[in-house]
Amino acid sequence: MAASEVQGLPVDPREAGVRGVRGGIGQTDHEDSKDCILEPLSLPESPGGTTALEGSPSVPCIFCEEHFPMAEQDKLLKHMIIEHKIVIADVKLVADFRRYILYWRKRFTEQPITDFCSVIRINSTAPFEEQDNYYLLCDALPEDRILREELQKHKLKEVLDQQQRERNDTSFHGVCMFCSEEFRGNRSVLLNHMAREHAFNIGLPDNIVNCTEFLCTLQKKLDNLQCLYCEKTFRDKNTLKDHMRKKQHRRINPKNREYDRFYVINYLELGKSWEEVQSEDDRELLDLQEDDWSDWQEYPVSAVCLFCEKQEETIDKLYVHMKDTHEFDLLRIKSELGLNFYHQVKLVNFIRRQVHQCKCYSCHVKFKSKADLRTHMEDTKHTSLLPDRKTWDQLEYYFPTYENDTLLCTLSDSESDLTAQEQTENVPIISEDTSRLCALKQSSVLNQLLLQGCLEN
């Protein structure tokens, strides 16, 4: 009965306008002395994510004709407690508050309130005229529990449908919150840009719903000169930007429940937040007598191309892509130059940094965009023309250009990849026993080397 009643209740969605706001980052200096990276970078994640902003219709009182906006839910609850002496337990766990109220408004007209609610008597020791009865509506009542579960399922379906529309939407137009670059198409383009260029990652686009409203909420906080992580307010925009960069506060506050409605994980289970879902351990699996891992499938880790944003699930596919598309054969270069694991790391980080700075590492010409650089390098065949080894074989390139560069984790470091010369150079050295120093001085090979050196001199 509860399910059929819930499905029939109306919802009044409306679209709201979204505005983009430009940030204030200065133009990049083309001098080499200015080509330094002062903030962590991130490669693009999986694509997806957009939104449509829904409005807040009014909600009536369960017993009277008083109406309150959805944004003033607390006022309605206060009104029902004071005027009608009814309390709704765990109201924050109700997936759709308006439908919940409308359902019980109808049911209370059909049967007495005492058929559904527990009665709580206040001042029970006082005289009868001073005693009050309050009514508690909670999920201990099977009908209320079923209603909450049905509302949760219905809400999850709406969220997933909305998320799918956002994935397929290509009409988005917005401006980055940290620079003046505009984006059109899918919202994932803007999210990946902020994660990659500004180290501002609010999560994978596929995990976000109502993304446009989410971005507007964040932009409003920045317009009010408020840090998104510590939520402190600053006197001007430059001070705020310096604070977020130096303190690494280019992220949202995970304890702020205002953001929960923008993540799909918060709609999965009734009464459980994302923290509770993630912290759950699989206790039922521990009760099994034998652990069966035959159906285990490892989640593929995507690696990103050195020259474009192409992602592949395996390193072999990525090698083929770079060879066929960009004429860059990393395996051949590794073999010809005799690169070990650490040499490969420095080479990859060097190329990443040059491409990030839109600079050709062969002719040292700088371009306005990565697309122009890629066109130039492909036309001139400069992708395969590496500079002298001393240019990229530097200690500074031990540090990754991008924090989440999974390509570095897939580079081979096996002994079979070393050249014959490297294998002879890396001879293990066994220290001599120093417990008997006198005998060591007489029998040490250093005496022979010292004598040989004196004869040669």
Side-chain angles (χ1 to χ4, degrees), residues 17 23 26 73 127 173 177 197 242 265 274 287 333 390-391 452:
Q73 173 181 317
H173 172 247
M177 292 186 289
E197 301 297 337
D242 290 341
I265 190 174
W274 64 271
D287 297 333
I333 294 174
K390 62 182 180 180
T391 303
Q452 182 179 356

Side-chain angles (χ1 to χ4, degrees), residues 145-361:
R145 178 69 182 182
I146 294 174
L147 172 61
R148 293 180 184 232
E149 291 176 350
E150 290 296 328
L151 289 175
Q152 181 73 23
K153 293 177 183 178
H154 189 80
K155 185 66 175 180
L156 177 59
K157 183 179 183 302
E158 289 180 347
V159 167
L160 294 179
D161 291 343
Q162 172 67 18
Q163 185 191 43
Q164 188 60 42
R165 288 193 296 270
E166 295 176 2
R167 288 178 176 176
N168 300 330
D169 180 31
T170 57
S171 60
F172 174 75
H173 172 247
V175 181
C176 175
M177 292 186 289
F178 301 99
C179 66
S180 58
E181 189 169 354
E182 297 185 10
F183 295 89
R184 297 179 183 273
N186 192 277
R187 290 162 175 79
S188 62
V189 180
L190 174 57
L191 295 180
N192 289 333
H193 162 80
M194 291 192 296
R196 182 177 62 252
E197 301 297 337
H198 304 291
F200 181 71
N201 191 352
I202 58 177
L204 295 177
D206 280 346
N207 296 338
I208 296 174
V209 68
N210 294 327
C211 182
T212 302
E213 182 184 358
F214 195 6
L215 294 175
C216 286
T217 301
L218 298 177
Q219 186 63 64
K220 185 177 180 180
K221 290 182 179 291
L222 292 179
D223 292 342
N224 293 331
L225 304 179
Q226 186 179 20
C227 175
L228 298 178
Y229 182 73
C230 67
E231 300 184 344
K232 294 180 180 178
T233 303
F234 295 84
R235 64 177 181 272
D236 55 55
K237 185 173 292 186
N238 290 332
T239 305
L240 172 62
K241 289 193 299 182
D242 290 341
H243 162 80
M244 294 180 67
R245 177 177 58 83
K246 294 178 180 178
K247 297 292 186 179
Q248 296 184 358
H249 281 188
R250 285 191 175 178
R251 47 193 171 135
I252 64 174
N253 183 0
K255 297 182 180 180
N256 190 336
R257 298 303 179 188
E258 179 184 3
Y259 304 131
D260 286 357
R261 68 182 188 273
F262 302 118
Y263 292 93
V264 178
I265 190 174
N266 292 300
Y267 300 93
L268 297 182
E269 294 188 52
L270 176 63
K272 292 183 179 180
S273 65
W274 64 271
E275 292 176 319
E276 294 171 315
V277 173
Q278 287 187 343
S279 63
E280 286 181 342
D281 54 357
D282 300 327
R283 293 186 177 89
E284 295 181 357
L285 296 179
L286 299 178
D287 297 333
L288 299 178
Q289 294 181 355
E290 295 182 0
D291 292 333
D292 183 11
W293 299 93
S294 60
D295 60 344
W296 173 261
Q297 293 182 354
E298 184 177 0
Y299 186 79
V301 179
S302 297
V304 182
C305 173
L306 290 171
F307 305 98
C308 66
E309 296 183 358
K310 176 68 175 178
Q311 299 185 31
E312 294 290 355
E313 294 181 354
T314 65
I315 188 61
D316 294 332
K317 291 182 180 180
L318 185 62
Y319 285 157
V320 172
H321 162 76
M322 291 193 293
K323 181 178 179 181
D324 295 343
T325 305
H326 307 292
E327 298 184 7
F328 182 83
D329 192 346
L330 183 58
L331 294 178
R332 179 183 59 81
I333 294 174
K334 169 187 170 184
S335 177
E336 291 180 352
L337 300 181
L339 303 182
N340 61 21
F341 172 76
Y342 297 103
H343 294 146
Q344 296 175 67
V345 168
K346 287 190 279 190
L347 178 60
V348 168
N349 289 332
F350 167 77
I351 296 176
R352 291 282 196 207
R353 184 174 300 185
Q354 299 301 306
V355 172
H356 171 73
Q357 295 172 346
C358 301
K359 183 191 298 182
C360 176
Y361 53 71

Side-chain angles (χ1 to χ4, degrees), residues 109-120:
T109 62
E110 299 171 350
Q111 294 177 235
I113 187 174
T114 53
D115 290 352
F116 306 104
C117 298
S118 302
V119 180
I120 304 175

